[in-house]
């Protein structure tokens, strides 16, 4: 310990003085505490207490009893879960839709941003940008309604296009085979514009002199894009990629719940939906919590795995 | 036209043409569903059944909109949606701005502790079932406050506001302090007015989140029509007709000569309209706000 040469006597005299100085400073900041402590309490209740609620997964939770009167069952809920075939169906659907979503939902906004960046600044560019953000602000309830409308066999434009080119109408919403595609593509439709914002911002930070120099060296448009713009945003791309790997299992249930119907329910069941059905639908609170815990742990493992991989490759940690 | 001043004249290449065509496609694909729904909502209901409505109504009418305001629970749900959006946005914005101000004060004792306490909530959450059990134990079910309290303090919004406050010159606060103002006065009189752009951005995020939320209604207030929201009503209508169980509503509709499809589209339009109204005004703010956050983050 570094005592900077003070004798014990001086330190013990300095100690209370330091404490009273701290107390005075705290008193001077009493308004700041008044402005933050009530909200700290709210965060504690609504964000921290549910984490404590994970313990429910190790209990046979019965509602209406205090915590210490609940019966502890160890890992029983988890062993039940790993023996349940439906769990593997839900895991498969979760990973399937999120991997598809990662491939499309990650690459398309980059391509879209690159192409938008090539438009000359003007009304057209601004219009495309403004319109492309719009679906982000509309609820999934509305989007699900639009998707049903657009894909319907009864005058939906997609089927009209298919008919126009001589094809047979397709019942997109009544076949399990299409469900993943419908979810992933409607998600892409909703978020592609919004997800470009961060890339466009990164592109404006690229030194214009780099483009000038490359142009003098005879670089064409594709070469500028490939050798200047893409490397210019690569850091942002890597950060977002690692973060989205961490979110792979956290795809939620909103799209799946709203877009599914009894015919396609086997393709729509994701882990969160499975937890919802068991935990709240069937009052199996502990089992539902166990599903949530497994889901979060898989997500954390993916996040740390991806981060470790990129740290080894680039020497740069993201989290 | 005589010759322009020198400098490279922009040349239109094949790339530009293809690119513009692609962007035009994105524009059409994004806008068409909205225009189509609007056209159907504005079209005479029985006529819509004949099909063929694209972006213009064939027999324009407002009858569908009149019908939904006599339909089921829609007026009450509209009122609750507006109430939760207004109250939720004002309270949450105030709370987040206050905490952000405390965090932006470099001399605040416990600053890094508070910062970490909030940051953890961005990465860890208890999940669906523990959250549900908590709300139930707090007796927030069948209550309006379940829309407001759980999301009142949001770490992401706080950090966004704080990063804006960090840029403000510290001298403003110091001179106010010399004039005898306390921290609360400094916050309300000096900091808040200077933060208008970021507050507008965050307000938009909160308001859109409140307006679009349906799952909390579904989970906590689903059986209480007094507390239903527009999104939840729309969700029920969309789900019921998609499952083909529309018999419930059909009598009511037949007397008004309104088809379920027209009702669905009219409610969809009512649900989107508030967003379309505020969107153009706040657009420039949120792009700037997001850009700031992005470049920093």
């Amino acid at each position: 310990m570094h005592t900077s040469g003070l004798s014990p006597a001086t330190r013990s005299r300095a100690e209370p003085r330091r404490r009273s100085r701290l107390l005075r400073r705290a008193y001077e900041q009493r308004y700041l505490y008044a402005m933050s402590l009530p909200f700290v309490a709210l965060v504690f209740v609504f964000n921290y207490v549910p984490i404590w609620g994970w313990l429910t997964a190790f209990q046979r939770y019965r509602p209406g009893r205090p915590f210490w009167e609940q019966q502890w069952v160890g890992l029983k809920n988890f062993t039940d879960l790993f023996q349940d075939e439906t769990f593997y169906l839900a895991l498969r659907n979760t990973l399937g839709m999120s991997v598809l979503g990662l491939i499309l939902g990650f690459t398309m906004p980059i391509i879209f941003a690159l192409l938008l960046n090539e438009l000359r600044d003007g009304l057209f560019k601004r219009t495309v940008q403004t319109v492309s953000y719009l679906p982000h602000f509309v609820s999934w309830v509305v989007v699900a309604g639009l998707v049903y409308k657009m894909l319907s066999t009864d005058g939906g434009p997609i089927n009209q296009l298919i008919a126009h080119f001589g094809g047979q109408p397709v019942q997109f919403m009544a076949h399990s085979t299409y469900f993943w595609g419908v979810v992933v593509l409607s998600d892409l439709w909703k978020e592609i514009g919004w997800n470009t914002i961060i890339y466009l911002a990164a592109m404006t930070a690229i030194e214009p002199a780099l483009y000038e120099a490359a142009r003098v060296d005879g670089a064409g448009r594709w070469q500028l894009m490939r050798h200047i713009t893409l490397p210019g945003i690569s850091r942002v791309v890597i950060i977002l990629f690692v973060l989205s790997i961490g979110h792979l299992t956290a795809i939620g249930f909103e799209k799946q719940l709203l877009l599914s119907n009894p015919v396609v329910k086997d393709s729509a069941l994701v882990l969160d939906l499975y937890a919802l059905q068991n935990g709240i639908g069937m009052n199996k609170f502990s089992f539902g919590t166990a599903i949530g815990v497994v889901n979060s742990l898989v997500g954390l493992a993916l996040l740390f795995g991806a981060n470790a991989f990129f740290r080894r490759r680039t020497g740069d940690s993201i989290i | 036209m005589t010759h322009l001043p020198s400098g490279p004249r922009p040349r239109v290449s094949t790339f530009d043409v293809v690119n513009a065509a692609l962007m035009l496609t994105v524009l059409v694909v994004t806008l068409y569903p909205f225009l189509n729904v609007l056209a159907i909502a504005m079209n005479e209901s029985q006529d819509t059944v004949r099909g063929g409505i694209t972006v213009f109504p064939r027999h324009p009418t407002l009858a569908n909109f009149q019908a939904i305001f006599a339909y089921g629970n829609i007026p009450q749900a509209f009122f609750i949606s507006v109430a939760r959006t207004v109250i939720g946005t004002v309270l949450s914005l105030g709370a987040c701005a206050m905490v952000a101000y405390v965090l932006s004060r470099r001399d605040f004792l416990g600053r890094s502790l508070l910062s970490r306490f909030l940051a953890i909530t961005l990465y860890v959450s208890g999940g669906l079932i523990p959250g549900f059990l908590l709300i139930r134990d707090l007796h927030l079910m069948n209550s309006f406050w379940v829309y407001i309290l759980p999301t009142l303090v949001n770490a992401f919004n706080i950090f966004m506001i704080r990063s804006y406050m960090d840029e403000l010159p510290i001298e403003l606060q110091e001179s106010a302090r010399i004039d005898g103002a306390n921290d609360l006065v400094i916050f309300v009189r000096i900091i808040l007015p200077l933060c208008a752009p970021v507050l507008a951005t965050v307000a938009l995020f909160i308001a859109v989140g409140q307006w679009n939320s349906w799952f909390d209604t579904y989970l906590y207030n689903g059986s209480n029509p007094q507390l239903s929201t527009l999104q939840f009503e729309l969700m029920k209508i969309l789900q019921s007709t998609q499952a083909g169980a529309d018999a419930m509503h059909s009598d009511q509709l037949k007397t008004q000569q309104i088809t379920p499809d027209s009702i669905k589209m009219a409610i969809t339009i009512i649900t989107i309209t508030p967003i379309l109204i505020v969107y153009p005004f706040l657009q420039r703010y949120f792009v700037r706000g997001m850009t700031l956050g992005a470049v920093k983050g």
Side-chain angles (χ1 to χ4, degrees):
Chain A
M1 208 166 121
H2 194 67
T3 53
S4 53
L6 288 176
S7 73
T10 337
R11 257 200 301 146
S12 63
R13 248 183 293 127
E15 199 57 30
R17 209 186 307 149
R18 209 168 66 95
R19 201 173 302 149
S20 78
R21 215 169 40 228
L22 270 182
L23 280 176
R24 214 183 51 216
R25 240 179 92 195
Y27 177 73
E28 277 164 8
Q29 295 184 346
R30 62 193 180 280
Y31 286 102
L32 296 181
Y33 287 106
M35 287 162 77
S36 54
L37 286 180
F39 305 117
V40 167
L42 272 184
V43 172
F44 181 77
V45 171
F46 287 107
N47 299 86
Y48 280 80
V49 173
I51 300 174
W52 167 259
W54 274 25
L55 290 175
T56 311
F58 304 96
Q59 296 173 335
R60 196 163 87 86
Y61 180 83
R62 270 171 296 180
R65 294 183 182 204
F67 179 76
W68 54 88
E69 279 176 29
Q70 301 289 349
Q71 185 191 347
W72 293 89
V73 295
L75 293 174
K76 186 182 175 299
N77 289 310
F78 292 93
T79 49
D80 284 355
L81 181 63
F82 293 131
Q83 278 161 13
D84 184 1
E85 271 175 40
T86 321
F87 168 70
Y88 296 97
L89 179 73
L91 187 65
R92 191 200 68 176
N93 287 336
T94 306
L95 290 176
M97 269 181 263
S98 52
V99 168
L100 271 182
L102 182 63
I103 294 168
L104 268 183
F106 194 76
T107 51
M108 295 311 277
I110 298 175
I111 294 171
F112 185 50
L114 286 172
L115 293 178
L116 258 179
N117 195 45
E118 292 293 320
L119 289 181
R120 249 169 244 112
D121 246 316
L123 188 65
F124 183 55
K125 184 180 180 180
R126 281 204 304 277
T127 310
V128 176
Q129 265 182 281
T130 307
V131 168
S132 73
Y133 305 147
L134 179 61
H136 172 80
F137 291 95
V138 174
S139 74
W140 264 109
V141 177
V142 167
V143 172
L146 295 182
V147 168
Y148 263 93
K149 185 89 205 133
M150 293 300 118
L151 295 181
S152 85
T153 45
D154 178 26
I158 305 285
N159 271 312
Q160 282 179 334
L161 268 182
I162 291 174
H164 183 77
F165 289 106
Q168 289 298 311
V170 183
Q171 293 215 320
F172 289 102
M173 302 311 287
H175 287 288
S176 297
T177 34
Y178 297 119
F179 188 77
W180 290 10
V182 169
V183 166
V184 169
L185 287 176
S186 46
D187 199 20
L188 183 69
W189 178 84
K190 192 174 185 299
E191 304 297 343
I192 185 168
W194 186 250
N195 290 339
T196 57
I197 290 184
I198 192 163
Y199 299 118
L200 289 170
M203 284 173 194
T204 58
I206 299 173
E207 198 67 54
L210 286 175
Y211 288 104
E212 290 302 324
R215 235 177 257 131
V216 170
D217 289 344
R221 266 189 130 135
W222 288 107
Q223 284 161 320
L224 289 180
M225 232 194 254
R226 234 187 75 62
H227 297 292
I228 312 273
T229 312
L230 260 185
I233 60 169
S234 66
R235 213 190 119 70
V236 175
V237 170
I238 290 175
I239 293 175
L240 290 183
F241 189 71
V242 172
L243 289 179
S244 24
I245 286 178
H247 287 134
L248 266 184
T249 59
I251 56 171
F253 49 83
E254 219 183 341
K255 307 162 247 199
Q256 287 79 9
L257 182 62
L258 291 169
L259 285 168
S260 79
N261 55 54
V263 191
V264 298
K265 68 178 195 316
D266 274 356
S267 299
L269 186 73
V270 284
L271 285 171
D272 277 330
L273 211 51
Y274 180 49
L276 186 72
Q277 284 172 5
N278 276 287
I280 295 165
M282 294 189 258
N283 286 336
K284 289 157 75 178
F285 297 111
S286 292
F287 190 69
T289 307
I291 300 171
V293 170
V294 170
N295 196 0
S296 300
L297 291 182
V298 174
L300 272 181
L302 286 170
L303 177 65
F304 282 109
N307 191 49
F309 179 76
F310 279 101
R311 197 173 45 217
R312 209 171 306 142
R313 293 290 298 270
T314 63
D316 212 0
S317 179
I318 283 129
I319 41 174
Chain B
M1 198 183 349
T2 53
H3 61 273
L4 292 159
S6 62
R9 223 185 69 190
R11 213 161 43 85
V12 176
S13 62
T14 324
F15 177 88
D16 289 312
V17 176
V18 175
N19 193 14
L22 270 173
M23 293 297 122
L24 210 60
T25 314
V26 171
L27 213 60
V28 171
V29 169
T30 310
L31 277 183
Y32 183 81
F34 293 110
L35 295 176
N36 185 231
V37 167
L38 182 63
I40 294 173
M42 305 261 298
N43 197 50
E44 206 269 306
S45 192
Q46 299 298 321
D47 177 67
T48 306
V49 184
R50 282 171 47 216
I53 305 287
T54 52
V55 296
F56 295 108
R58 199 163 37 214
H59 292 287
T61 170
L62 292 175
N64 298 323
F65 292 103
Q66 284 162 356
I68 48 174
F69 275 97
Y71 179 81
N73 198 27
I74 299 298
Q76 172 70 11
F78 186 83
F79 171 72
I80 293 289
S81 279
V82 172
R84 72 175 286 178
T85 304
V86 172
I87 297 172
T89 306
V90 170
L91 292 183
S92 180
L93 188 66
C96 292
M98 248 188 228
V99 179
Y101 173 64
V102 174
L103 273 182
S104 77
R105 285 279 301 266
R106 281 170 205 286
D107 58 330
F108 177 60
L109 285 175
R111 179 168 175 259
S112 66
L113 197 70
L114 179 58
S115 180
R116 246 170 267 160
F117 178 76
L118 291 170
I120 286 174
T121 66
L122 293 176
Y123 298 100
V124 197
S125 86
L128 213 53
I129 312 298
F132 175 82
L133 293 176
L134 173 74
I135 297 292
R136 216 184 45 175
D137 290 347
L138 292 174
H139 301 290
L140 280 174
M141 289 184 88
N142 287 314
S143 135
F144 179 77
W145 295 102
V146 79
Y147 298 142
I148 311 290
L149 288 176
T151 55
L152 190 76
V153 188
N154 176 296
F156 182 82
N157 293 341
I158 291 174
F159 290 144
M160 206 159 140
I161 302 174
R162 190 204 42 189
S163 74
Y164 191 90
M165 287 175 174
D166 281 344
E167 306 284 302
L168 299 176
I170 190 103
E171 290 77 16
L172 286 171
Q173 298 191 40
E174 280 166 357
S175 62
R177 191 156 298 125
I178 291 166
D179 291 344
N182 68 40
D183 290 326
L184 198 64
V185 173
I186 292 173
F187 168 69
V188 175
R189 292 273 184 78
I190 296 173
I191 303 295
L192 275 190
L194 289 172
C195 288
V198 73
L199 294 179
T201 311
V202 172
L204 175 73
F205 288 158
I206 301 171
V208 169
Q210 282 285 2
W211 180 259
N212 282 343
S213 182
W214 63 276
F215 189 67
D216 45 13
T217 314
Y218 173 83
L219 215 49
Y220 305 121
N221 292 339
S223 56
N224 189 342
Q226 290 297 306
L227 293 170
S228 190
T229 53
L230 206 53
Q231 301 282 349
F232 183 60
E233 292 296 319
L234 177 63
M235 182 260 184
K236 278 198 297 192
I237 291 169
L238 289 173
Q239 297 278 311
S240 71
T241 44
Q242 271 148 25
D246 197 40
M248 201 175 81
H249 309 302
S250 55
D251 281 348
Q252 194 183 349
L253 295 177
K254 257 177 217 149
T255 55
Q256 293 172 315
Q257 299 285 303
I258 304 287
T259 61
D261 205 39
S262 296
I263 286 287
K264 275 195 282 184
M265 297 308 131
I267 299 178
T268 306
I269 292 300
I270 297 276
T271 315
I272 307 174
T273 304
I275 288 180
L276 291 182
I277 292 172
V278 295
Y279 185 70
F281 295 105
L282 292 169
Q283 214 248 127
R284 61 202 178 100
Y285 285 126
F286 74 68
V287 172
R288 203 194 308 155
M290 283 301 287
T291 311
L292 269 178
V295 173
K296 282 217 178 93

